[in-house]
Amino acid sequence: MTDNKKTATLTVNGENYELPVHSPTAGPDVIDIRKLYSDAGVFTYDPGFTSTASCDSTITYIDGEKGELLHRGYPIDQLAEKSHFLEVCYLLLYGELPAAKDLETFETTITRHTMLHEQMQYFYRGFRRDAHPMAIMVGVVGAMSAFYHDSTDVSDPNQREIASHRLIAKMPTIAAWAYKYHTGQPFVYPRNDLDYASNFLRMCFSVPAEDYEVNPILSRAMDRILTLHADHEQNASTSTVRLASSSGSNPFACIAAGIACLWGPAHGGANQACLEMLEEIGSVDRIPEYIARAKDKDDPFRLMGFGHRVYKNFDPRAKVMKQSADEVLDLLDIENNPKLKVAKALEKQALEDPYFAEKKLFPNVDFYSGIILEAMGFPTSMFTPIFALSRTVGWVSQWKEMIADPQNKIGRPRQLYLGETTRDYVDIEKR
Ligand code: SDX
């Protein structure tokens, strides 16, 4: 943080307060209000944190107006085109693109942590078969605290490193087993001779009766989906992980909290909600009815997969994801899938509608990722678990950055209290 001695003057009850202003390497300046309450006796008020920087970070930068997304300075479209998910994991975790030998060591480490403690599979058995895979993931990831005691001490950098590797490595197995449990098929173990995305696809779709040959176009599309969802600055689930970690909770419990937050339809649950919306629309001729509902202030309906808190231009991830969606649809020749036909017509009509243009509502990453996952054969209930699988590296990277920050302290926001002031208890016979 560059201290350029800039200040902002705030006048409260006739008193002037000089607040330090910090300038970033990119993006808006921030006004440092950490001493505001002790100096001026007032709080700031920002429900939803639309104008609040909760921390400083060097991991991911987003420019919502330009539709720009950088991971450690590298544009997302270049990473999606030229890199691959585990290399992006290394970049997010350690800040630099790895040399060949470092990448090989990292990939070997992750590959060798993909198996779960054998006792964990009995944890799955406690769930009903129709449990949502996200419910299983929240439970199983939180339960990792009970299995991996040698990597729960957040004050030990070595334990933080092992926990990071375990979470990134085991998430595909946890997610795939949640899917298998849901379908009633036996668990498939990871294999060390497959890359990360191929291993995940095989654990999902292989059965004892016949193995699953991974199609390289599908594993590349899956790897790209994982790369595009890896991290995204201080979004709701990342902020949840940071807040949970600020009390010193172990990393597995904190990542489970992030999974719980991501589940919501306004956040990571949007890709599932988007496909369910396409299913509800059902046919191209019903699209105008739904677009009218999305514009109706009295109707809570919103177009799932459209809009974004930060991107007031096209989501840069959506552009790359759209390219993958076209590749997968061509490969699988499923032009006739009604949901996918509705998706393409809806995208066209929404982008041509003045309401969405003026509100800057464009298709976001979740609009296209849902289409690809549907084409691959995943049920909509697996869309958010795959998002969680990918975002684990972002959560872990932001967690590591926060824990190592000497300024790190427990997060404890205040409030604007609008409730009753002090009043005496009334005995029940007098009420
Ligand atoms: C993700 O934060 C992240 O980075 C998230 C994420 C990540 O990688 O972590 O990018 C992943 O969560 C992507 C977003 C997925 N969510 C959806 O697709 C759900 C549908 N989108 C909306 O719920 C909404 O756009 C949000 C929640 C994403 C953003 O909401 P905001 O920023 O709070 O915007 P808003 O609700 O203030 O909307 C501004 C206006 C409103 O109209 P007015 O009150 O100004 O008249 O736009 C309207 C909204 O009604 N609007 C929509 C709309 N989204 C916003 N109208 C119709 N359909 C929509 N989808």
Side-chain angles (χ1 to χ4, degrees), residues 232 266-267 297 302-303 305-306 308-309 317 364 391:
H232 211 236
H267 190 13
K297 282 285 141 258
R302 287 190 169 177
L303 285 185
F306 281 78
H308 197 277
R309 166 61 57 80
R317 302 167 297 175
N364 56 44
R391 187 53 57 88

Side-chain angles (χ1 to χ4, degrees), residues 198-215:
S198 302
N199 223 345
F200 173 63
L201 288 172
R202 183 181 168 277
M203 286 191 281
C204 288
F205 295 123
S206 176
V207 289
E210 64 178 41
D211 209 345
Y212 171 79
E213 274 304 304
V214 181
N215 180 309

Side-chain angles (χ1 to χ4, degrees), residues 136-155:
I136 297 177
M137 284 190 74
V138 170
V140 172
V141 173
M144 287 174 79
S145 323
F147 287 85
Y148 299 105
H149 298 106
D150 60 342
S151 57
T152 52
D153 175 358
V154 298
S155 65

Side-chain angles (χ1 to χ4, degrees), residues 117-164:
H117 186 295
E118 192 64 3
Q119 194 68 16
M120 286 198 84
Q121 63 172 296
Y122 303 110
F123 194 81
Y124 282 78
R125 308 232 179 285
F127 290 98
R128 285 174 36 159
R129 287 284 182 176
D130 61 353
H132 193 291
M134 283 297 276
I136 297 177
M137 284 190 74
V138 170
V140 172
V141 173
M144 287 174 79
S145 323
F147 287 85
Y148 299 105
H149 298 106
D150 60 342
S151 57
T152 52
D153 175 358
V154 298
S155 65
D156 178 347
N158 295 325
Q159 292 200 31
R160 294 204 298 264
E161 190 74 351
I162 295 169
S164 304

Side-chain angles (χ1 to χ4, degrees), residues 203-363:
M203 286 191 281
C204 288
F205 295 123
S206 176
V207 289
E210 64 178 41
D211 209 345
Y212 171 79
E213 274 304 304
V214 181
N215 180 309
I217 291 181
L218 296 187
S219 61
R220 179 74 188 128
M222 177 54 72
D223 188 273
R224 187 172 281 182
I225 285 176
L226 299 179
T227 297
L228 291 171
H229 286 82
D231 188 49
H232 211 236
E233 197 216 59
Q234 305 310 320
N235 58 85
S237 52
T238 298
S239 300
T240 300
V241 171
R242 279 181 172 260
L243 194 56
S245 309
S246 71
S247 72
S249 290
N250 75 71
F252 306 110
C254 296
I255 299 302
I259 295 172
C261 176
L262 186 77
W263 194 356
H267 190 13
N271 47 22
Q272 172 174 345
C274 178
L275 263 290
E276 287 164 355
M277 172 190 72
L278 296 173
E279 189 146 24
E280 185 188 330
I281 294 173
S283 62
V284 175
D285 60 340
R286 294 187 65 197
I287 289 175
E289 170 197 338
Y290 281 84
I291 286 186
R293 284 188 57 195
K295 291 152 67 169
D296 178 358
K297 282 285 141 258
D298 298 327
D299 189 330
F301 172 78
R302 287 190 169 177
L303 285 185
M304 291 291 112
F306 281 78
H308 197 277
R309 166 61 57 80
V310 177
Y311 292 123
K312 298 310 173 190
N313 202 320
F314 220 77
D315 181 336
R317 302 167 297 175
K319 276 182 185 162
V320 182
M321 194 66 83
K322 178 174 167 46
Q323 184 191 336
S324 279
D326 292 341
E327 283 167 13
V328 168
L329 295 187
D330 288 346
L331 170 82
L332 300 177
D333 186 27
I334 44 171
E335 273 308 301
N336 302 324
N337 178 312
K339 277 180 269 186
L340 305 181
K341 285 170 80 171
V342 169
K344 284 193 171 291
L346 173 64
E347 176 196 22
K348 185 172 184 304
Q349 291 185 37
L351 289 175
E352 289 168 355
D353 189 303
Y355 174 88
F356 294 94
E358 74 195 32
K359 293 245 182 247
K360 300 179 184 287
L361 300 173
F362 298 93

